[in-house]
Amino acid sequence: MPDEIKFPKLIFEKFFDGKVVAKGYMIYRFPNKRIKNIQAEFKGNYKNNTLYLREKYFEEETKSLRKWKFTKKSSNSYSGIVNDVIGNINVTVKENNLEMNYLFKTHYKNLSFNVTVKDSMFMVERRSIVNITLISKFGINIAKAILLYTKL
């Protein structure tokens, strides 16, 4: 076993500049436990301290398009916006870890409501990030996503 395990440093705008594919699972706990296959395709462009991301999201029968915009505030801090999010997205990067928190507008059947989203991304290889997303309502976890992001 190596003395020290090292992972590459995650540079948010560098990883997402270009094409990235994410594949994995959404694990719902509420209103009933179920697992769905999910995939997202990203096309990013970084210019003038701003990362523009176009995301095509697929969750079995659901498809959506999001346009993310992240402004670099410092070497490890970003502020983002997207159409399905209330307010700003706060992004912090430390070494190979990225944390992102926001309030997301969603729906289930005929109900629309907001959920709290906490994304934790970990760069394990130069072209791979493991992502765990916790989704909660009233402080109760209602879903979790586990994704592998691959830079193409």
Side-chain angles (χ1 to χ4, degrees), residues 19-68:
K19 292 183 181 180
V20 174
V21 172
K23 292 181 180 181
Y25 304 96
M26 181 70 76
I27 304 163
Y28 293 94
R29 292 182 169 191
F30 185 83
N32 51 22
K33 189 169 182 177
R34 64 196 186 284
I35 299 173
K36 290 189 174 183
N37 299 334
I38 57 176
Q39 181 172 322
E41 299 170 357
F42 297 90
K43 185 168 184 186
N45 184 21
Y46 182 69
K47 62 181 177 183
N48 299 325
N49 269 354
T50 303
L51 175 62
Y52 300 91
L53 276 178
R54 182 179 170 92
E55 174 193 13
K56 293 179 183 176
Y57 178 85
F58 307 94
E59 182 182 310
E60 292 181 359
E61 68 281 344
T62 304
K63 296 177 186 176
S64 58
L65 175 67
R66 294 186 187 99
K67 294 180 181 177
W68 303 78

Side-chain angles (χ1 to χ4, degrees), residues 11-20 42-54 68-79 93 151:
I11 302 170
F12 182 49
E13 66 273 18
K14 184 177 179 182
F15 186 85
F16 283 97
D17 189 26
K19 292 183 181 180
V20 174
F42 297 90
K43 185 168 184 186
N45 184 21
Y46 182 69
K47 62 181 177 183
N48 299 325
N49 269 354
T50 303
L51 175 62
Y52 300 91
L53 276 178
R54 182 179 170 92
W68 303 78
K69 178 181 171 187
F70 294 95
T71 304
K72 191 170 186 172
K73 300 294 183 185
S74 69
S75 63
N76 66 342
S77 173
Y78 304 80
S79 179
V93 179
K151 183 164 181 69

Side-chain angles (χ1 to χ4, degrees), residues 85-127:
V85 169
I86 297 171
N88 286 330
I89 303 163
N90 298 314
V91 181
T92 305
V93 179
K94 186 176 181 182
E95 298 298 323
N96 73 320
N97 173 241
L98 179 145
E99 298 288 332
M100 187 165 29
N101 299 292
Y102 51 93
L103 197 57
F104 186 78
K105 295 183 268 184
T106 191
H107 60 278
Y108 176 74
K109 294 189 178 182
N110 293 330
L111 298 173
S112 293
F113 54 96
N114 302 327
V115 294
T116 301
V117 176
K118 181 181 179 187
D119 274 317
S120 297
M121 297 183 177
F122 302 90
M123 182 172 249
V124 292
E125 293 179 354
R126 192 173 53 83
R127 299 178 95 61

